[in-house]
Each structure stands twice: as structure tokens, then as C-alpha cells.
């Protein structure tokens, strides 16, 4: 559950009872998730601009830290690795891929194009994997995408999953998970209602895309992680 959609503690407790983990973008959200009883090993820390204090807290909140830091830049990975080394921890990290896709949504909530600050380009991820000094106290456990919010057109989602799958096949590591993000739109207006993608159709698109571009080409079966937010709480 993307905590930024609604940080109400009772909402978090309800979702925890239903088995949800948490996607957080600040130490405040992380503390709320922990207070709600969400297992640290079901928490991913996303977002640009993670501070040293936030990274340190996330590493120390459980003997194994959180499930994953979804890394937004090579510089961030370097900082996470250094902080983990200082604290004698191993940081679990996933690269957030910038898949260079254009999304049909408001320009301020689109996050998957090359010009956006979010995520890392494929070629930079491949280069970073071979830089041993970045991995003394970090381990790559996954790959992540999130291309925007209020998504109704699934074409960009298919394109992004294709890019994610291509990268996963190219690096050929035993990843624990592929994180396909969230952002499925809800109907704020009559126009939204006309263009709304149902949850069933969304899941079908994700499943078929992963099968076509990834599972049909490998015997690896990583966990598939979703980060729903407003679709869960926007109409409550």
C-alpha cells in the first residue's frame, strides 16, 4: 500500500490486518507503517531525496532492515552502501528503472519519461551493477518501475513492463521481486469514469505483459510487487 495516499493510522492497521505491506517515501511514513504493525520485511522505501538519517533508521528498524530501498540514482546507492557499511548492515536494494515511456495523465503526476527526475536509465543500471565498490554492504534484490498516477491508458504500462523485463533478462541475476508500481486511476469526474480501467483489466494487462516479455523467456519466478494507493482509499 502506497502510504502517501492516506496515512491515517486506522487505515494502515486495517490494511495490515488484510496482509498488506507498505510503500513509503519518508521516515514519517515508515514510522507510521511500523506503528500500524506492518512487518519491516514488507516495507519498501521509495522516492527521491532520502536523507542519511532516514536511511539509517530504515536499516536499523529490524535486524535485516526493510524489504528494499527502491534506489532512484547511483549516488543514492553509493550513500546507502556507505551508511550500511558504517552500521555493519547489509542494505537490500532495488533499482527503480526509468523506462522512458510517455503516460496519458496529468504532467505533474507522470514519472516514467526520460526527462523526469525519477528512476535510473537502463544503461546506468547495467554499468552500476559491475562497480564492486557500490556493493560491499548492499545486495540487489529487485527491480522497480512506477510511471505515474491516475493511469487509465494501459499502453504505457505495457511498454514499461517490457522495458523492466528486458532489463531483468539482460542482467540475469536471481532477483527476489519485480515491483510494477501502482497509480491505477479512479473516477474523480465523468470523463474519468468514461476512461476508467477496471482493476480486473489492469491485473490482466500486468499478467499478460509479464508472461509475454519475461516469464516465457526464463525459468526464474520472482515475486511480483504492487504499490496501490488511491485505488484503495480514494473513494472511501
Amino acid at each position: 500500500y502506497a502510504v502517501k495516499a492516506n496515512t491515517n493510522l486506522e487505515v494502515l492497521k486495517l490494511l495490515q490486518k488484510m496482509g498488506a505491506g507498505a510503500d513509503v517515501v519518508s521516515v514519517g511514513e515508515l514510522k507510521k507503517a511500523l506503528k500500524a504493525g506492518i512487518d519491516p520485511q514488507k516495507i519498501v522505501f521509495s522516492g527521491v531525496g532520502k536523507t542519511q538519517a532516514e536511511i539509517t533508521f530504515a536499516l536499523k528498524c529490524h535486524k535485516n532492515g526493510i524489504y528494499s530501498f527502491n534506489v532512484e540514482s547511483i549516488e543514492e546507492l553509493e550513500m546507502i552502501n556507505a551508511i550500511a557499511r558504517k552500521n555493519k548492515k547489509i542494505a537490500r536494494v532495488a533499482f527503480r528503472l526509468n523506462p522512458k515511456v510517455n503516460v496519458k495523465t496529468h504532467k505533474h503526476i507522470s514519472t516514467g519519461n526520460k526527462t523526469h527526475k525519477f528512476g535510473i536509465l537502463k544503461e546506468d543500471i547495467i554499468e552500476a551493477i559491475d562497480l564492486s565498490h557500490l556493493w560491499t554492504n548492499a545486495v540487489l534484490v529487485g527491480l522497480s518501475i512506477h510511471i505515474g498516477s491516475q493511469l487509465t491508458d494501459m499502453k504505457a504500462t505495457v511498454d514499461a513492463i517490457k522495458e523492466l523485463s528486458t532489463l531483468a533478462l539482460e542482467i540475469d541475476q536471481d532477483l527476489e521481486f519485480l515491483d510494477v508500481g501502482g497509480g491505477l486511476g479512479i473516477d474523480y469526474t465523468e470523463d474519468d469514469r468514461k476512461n476508467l480501467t477496471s482493476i480486473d483489466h489492469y491485473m490482466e494487462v500486468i499478467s499478460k505483459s509479464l508472461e509475454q516479455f519475461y516469464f516465457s523467456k526464463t525459468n526464474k519466478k520472482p515475486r511480483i510487487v504492487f504499490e496501490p494507493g488511491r485505488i484503495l482509499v480514494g473513494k472511501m
Side-chain angles (χ1 to χ4, degrees):
Y1 167 66
V3 175
K4 60 181 175 286
N6 187 326
T7 62
N8 182 281
L9 188 60
E10 295 307 312
V11 171
L12 297 180
K13 287 179 178 178
L14 176 61
L15 288 165
Q16 184 272 334
K17 289 178 182 177
M18 297 173 70
D23 164 56
V24 304
V25 295
S26 71
V27 73
E29 290 183 3
L30 173 56
K31 289 178 178 179
K32 273 273 188 90
L34 293 172
K35 189 174 182 180
I38 295 175
D39 184 347
Q41 283 294 293
K42 295 178 73 174
I43 296 176
V44 297
F45 200 143
S46 304
V48 297
K50 302 178 187 72
T51 68
Q52 292 188 26
E54 288 177 321
I55 293 166
T56 301
F57 182 87
L59 283 169
K60 290 183 172 182
C61 72
H62 181 268
K63 66 178 182 179
N64 296 320
I66 57 173
Y67 186 58
S68 177
F69 293 93
N70 286 359
V71 174
E72 302 270 0
S73 69
I74 305 306
E75 291 79 10
E76 182 187 307
L77 172 59
E78 191 169 20
M79 181 169 67
I80 290 171
N81 185 69
I83 293 171
R85 184 170 63 247
K86 179 181 178 181
N87 289 278
K88 296 181 173 57
K89 296 283 188 177
I90 299 296
R92 295 165 52 85
V93 303
F95 283 118
R96 177 175 175 177
L97 171 68
N98 183 321
K100 299 189 290 186
V101 298
N102 290 313
V103 180
K104 289 184 179 179
T105 188
H106 192 284
K107 64 181 180 179
H108 290 153
I109 51 176
S110 174
T111 61
N113 201 359
K114 183 178 180 180
T115 57
H116 295 143
K117 64 183 177 181
F118 302 97
I120 312 172
L121 298 177
K122 172 185 170 183
E123 53 268 29
D124 294 330
I125 290 174
I126 292 172
E127 182 178 341
I129 287 173
D130 290 329
L131 298 177
S132 59
H133 72 278
L134 297 175
W135 302 102
T136 61
N137 289 74
V139 58
L140 181 64
V141 294
L143 296 174
S144 167
I145 51 170
H146 178 68
I147 60 174
S149 297
Q150 195 58 12
L151 305 177
T152 55
D153 181 359
M154 292 294 100
K155 183 180 184 305
T157 298
V158 172
D159 292 341
I161 289 177
K162 180 179 180 180
E163 293 301 316
L164 181 72
S165 300
T166 299
L167 175 60
L169 291 168
E170 188 165 340
I171 64 175
D172 194 29
Q173 291 198 18
D174 289 328
L175 301 172
E176 291 185 29
F177 70 90
L178 298 178
D179 184 338
V180 296
L184 185 60
I186 61 174
D187 49 344
Y188 291 107
T189 68
E190 286 296 330
D191 285 340
D192 287 340
R193 195 164 293 117
K194 293 174 186 176
N195 299 318
L196 193 63
T197 298
S198 71
I199 293 175
D200 286 345
H201 179 60
Y202 172 75
M203 295 300 290
E204 183 181 13
V205 168
I206 298 290
S207 178
K208 287 184 176 179
S209 298
L210 285 167
E211 179 62 33
Q212 178 182 355
F213 300 123
Y214 186 71
F215 290 126
S216 65
K217 300 177 182 180
T218 180
N219 59 4
K220 296 181 172 67
K221 296 291 183 181
R223 173 183 290 138
I224 305 302
V225 174
F226 294 82
E227 299 173 4
R230 73 178 69 202
I231 194 66
L232 297 180
V233 297
K235 300 174 72 172
M236 292 177 70

